[in-house]
Structure formats: structure tokens, C-alpha cells
Amino acid sequence: REIFVDVPSLEFLHIGNRDLQIPCNINIDNCRNLKAFLLEAVSSVFVSNEWLLETFNKFPFLERLEFNACVTSESIRISSFRLKVLSIDWCLDMKEAQINAPNLESFRYFGTNRNVPAISFVNCSDQLEFDAAFSIHSCLYLERFRVFLQNIEPRNVMTSLTLGMHNGSPIAYNEDVLQNVPVQIKQLILRVGEEAEEVCELLINALFWSFRPAIVSLLLRLCSKMFVKVLLEKLRYKDEEGNKMKCWWHDLKDVKVKSSPKKYENLIDCEALLDSLPTRASFFSPDREISFELWWDSSE
């Protein structure tokens, strides 16, 4: 029911309560030299602006702060000169976050398509990298993520987006996406287990109408063979003659392939990759990754 830590030399502390779900009092005030604090599903801690202010005052050397499945205020403000790494995962009460951390190097947010908060940075570093990850159940939710990234302030923050989609997702497509101005992002990381060809095609078209990634990466063991096949066909389609319909691939100027292990160097080589993939995504498959560097029309 109570945790009391009196270790002044302690620099790293991870408190997790995911399995027990028992409220307890936590006293770590004497850990003044704490540099990394990870809080996971501790129901007795309410992450409010007051709690954040007290935390940074108590631990003046704190450089890394992570929340996972914590109860938070709808609107939070994080202000710290020393903070370098910040992670907020599955904090579904949060609707807005303002982050004032001039030395912040990395910020990660993981959520669901039902909770897409507004996030802004104040006095942020030019080297700040922002990684956002969501699980999605329909192409319709992509508009939420596009607006989410479009509203990130300031606009020069280097953003990566990870999207996961399971097999059996409903077919849904909003034609209004064709009227959108695509958001430029550093990297789009995809984990798509969908096996229906029609859904894969809808998803890929919606993705590239919504975003202009410099890099698209696939973790192959979490992607279906069908999704990889359709993506490769779409990336090659821009070279086919006789296609006059305006689409996103008209803005795509060049594609380069990078793979690990390094076996595939262009889109033609990737035909051999398809033959080596299992039909379904599987956690038990070997770790392999393939990335596509995309060059878009600079006028778009």
C-alpha cells in the first residue's frame, strides 16, 4: 500500500502497477539525483499540471520522463530546461499538451484513433524528433491523423508516424481526402496485416493523399504479403504509360529501396522479396525491414 524510496544516489526509477491495479502511496522525494523516471499504470498518481511542476522542482536533474497508461488532466503543460526524452503512451484522458523544453531531443506519443490530442512545442530545439504511433481500424481515421500532424506547432518539428492496421478492417474511404493538402513528414512506418487486396489499395491511396513521407518503412513480419505486393505495384505504377488520371503518384518523382539484410536495391529486385514472404503477418517470422526513399515534386 506504500512505497518509500530513500536513495539519494538513485538515477533511474521505473514504477509499474499494470498487473496489480492496487492504489498505493509513493514517496520518492529524497531521490534528488533522479535522471530518468518511468511511471506505468499507477492509479494513485494523477498527472496534473501541479504534479508535473512539483516533479520537476523535486528532481532538478530529470532528463527522461515517461508515462504509460496513466491518468492525466485533459490539458497538461510540461516545462523543463533539462528534459531530453519524453514519452506519453496510452494516456487516453489527455486532449491537449503544451511542451516547453528547449533541450528536448525526442518525444514519443502512442495512442488510438479515438484519442488524437493537440500537441504544441514552445522553445523547441531544431533537432527535436517527434514520433507518433497509432493503431487504426479504418481508412476514415487517416483524416484525424493528417489534421493532428498538420496542427503540430511549430511546423519545422521532424515528425515520424507509425500506423498499425490488423486483418479484417472494414472497407471505408472518404473521397474528401482528394481535396486535402498532404502533410510532409520525415518517415511513415507501416505495420499492416490486412490481407484483402481492395482494402490494401484503398489504404495506400488514402495514405499518400494524406501524407508526403520522405521515407516509408515496412517491418515485414508485421505486414501481410498482399499489402507489400499492392504497395510495390503502386510505387511502380507511376512509370506506366497511358495513365492520365491525376493521382498522388504523378507527384512522385523517384523511389530508392533500402533493405535489411541488404538484398534489394530497386523495385524490380523486390519481386524476389514477395516470393520469400509468408502470406500472413507473424510475430514469429524473422526480423526484416525494407524502406523506400521517396522524392516528391518540390512544387507540391
Side-chain angles (χ1 to χ4, degrees):
R1 299 290 182 175
E2 185 173 7
I3 298 174
F4 179 71
V5 184
D6 185 5
V7 186
S9 61
L10 192 67
E11 295 184 355
F12 179 95
L13 179 61
H14 178 187
I15 299 177
N17 198 27
R18 182 176 294 278
D19 296 328
L20 299 177
Q21 291 298 317
I22 297 173
C24 62
N25 295 320
I26 301 173
N27 188 332
I28 59 172
D29 292 0
N30 290 338
C31 304
R32 295 283 296 173
N33 289 300
L34 204 61
K35 291 185 177 179
F37 185 24
L38 285 63
L39 197 61
E40 182 178 11
V42 179
S43 57
S44 57
V45 175
F46 177 59
V47 181
S48 63
N49 291 324
E50 291 75 17
W51 183 90
L52 288 165
L53 184 61
E54 290 178 1
T55 297
F56 288 118
N57 287 335
K58 290 176 182 176
F59 312 116
F61 305 107
L62 196 63
E63 296 180 347
R64 176 183 172 190
L65 183 62
E66 298 188 14
F67 304 117
N68 190 321
C70 292
V71 181
T72 71
S73 300
E74 288 192 358
S75 177
I76 64 172
R77 295 186 302 275
I78 295 174
S79 181
S80 169
F81 183 79
R82 280 189 171 267
L83 194 65
K84 294 181 179 179
V85 178
L86 175 64
S87 178
I88 302 176
D89 293 351
W90 291 99
C91 296
L92 303 183
D93 299 309
M94 189 185 81
K95 301 293 189 297
E96 180 184 18
Q98 185 183 85
I99 301 164
N100 185 350
N103 289 304
L104 190 66
E105 299 171 355
S106 171
F107 172 48
R108 179 180 186 272
Y109 177 82
F110 184 84
T112 70
N113 51 42
R114 296 179 180 87
N115 183 58
V116 184
I119 295 176
S120 60
F121 300 92
V122 180
N123 299 323
C124 67
S125 165
D126 292 337
Q127 304 303 313
L128 172 61
E129 295 192 1
F130 175 29
D131 298 310
F134 297 93
S135 57
I136 62 175
H137 305 291
S138 166
C139 298
L140 288 174
Y141 292 111
L142 292 180
E143 173 61 11
R144 294 187 184 180
F145 306 139
R146 189 190 70 83
V147 174
F148 166 75
L149 294 177
Q150 190 177 47
N151 291 335
I152 297 294
E153 293 291 345
R155 298 297 299 276
N156 64 340
V157 174
M158 295 181 289
T159 306
S160 296
L161 177 64
T162 299
L163 296 177
M165 190 174 187
H166 300 292
N167 186 33
S169 301
I171 299 175
Y173 184 70
N174 185 354
E175 291 186 355
D176 291 342
V177 72
L178 302 179
Q179 309 302 322
N180 289 337
V181 177
V183 178
Q184 296 183 8
I185 59 176
K186 175 185 175 183
Q187 186 174 21
L188 178 62
I189 304 169
L190 299 174
R191 303 168 181 174
V192 181
E194 179 58 53
E195 297 170 15
E197 184 174 2
E198 183 179 1
V199 178
C200 291
E201 186 171 350
L202 286 173
L203 176 61
I204 291 168
N205 284 333
L207 282 169
F208 289 126
W209 273 120
S210 302
F211 310 107
R212 289 289 189 264
I215 300 173
V216 174
S217 297
L218 307 180
L219 187 59
L220 293 174
R221 67 187 179 95
L222 298 181
C223 291
S224 69
K225 185 174 185 177
M226 178 57 70
F227 179 77
V228 179
K229 173 179 177 292
V230 175
L231 178 61
L232 290 173
E233 290 175 351
K234 288 287 186 181
L235 293 177
R236 289 199 306 266
Y237 191 59
K238 72 181 186 67
D239 296 326
E240 295 188 4
E241 296 182 359
N243 176 33
K244 301 302 182 184
M245 184 182 69
K246 175 64 176 175
C247 198
W248 56 264
W249 55 71
H250 287 89
D251 300 330
L252 184 60
K253 298 307 178 185
D254 195 15
V255 180
K256 291 187 178 180
V257 180
K258 289 188 176 182
S259 65
S260 177
K262 188 175 181 180
K263 293 177 62 177
Y264 312 101
E265 297 183 353
N266 55 61
L267 292 173
I268 300 299
D269 292 341
C270 292
E271 292 296 333
L273 169 66
L274 284 176
D275 296 334
S276 68
L277 294 178
T279 302
R280 294 187 172 183
S282 172
F283 283 98
F284 303 103
S285 299
D287 280 334
R288 289 188 295 172
E289 183 175 319
I290 189 166
S291 295
F292 306 95
E293 293 185 1
L294 309 182
W295 276 264
W296 300 92
D297 187 341
S298 59
S299 65
E300 292 296 327

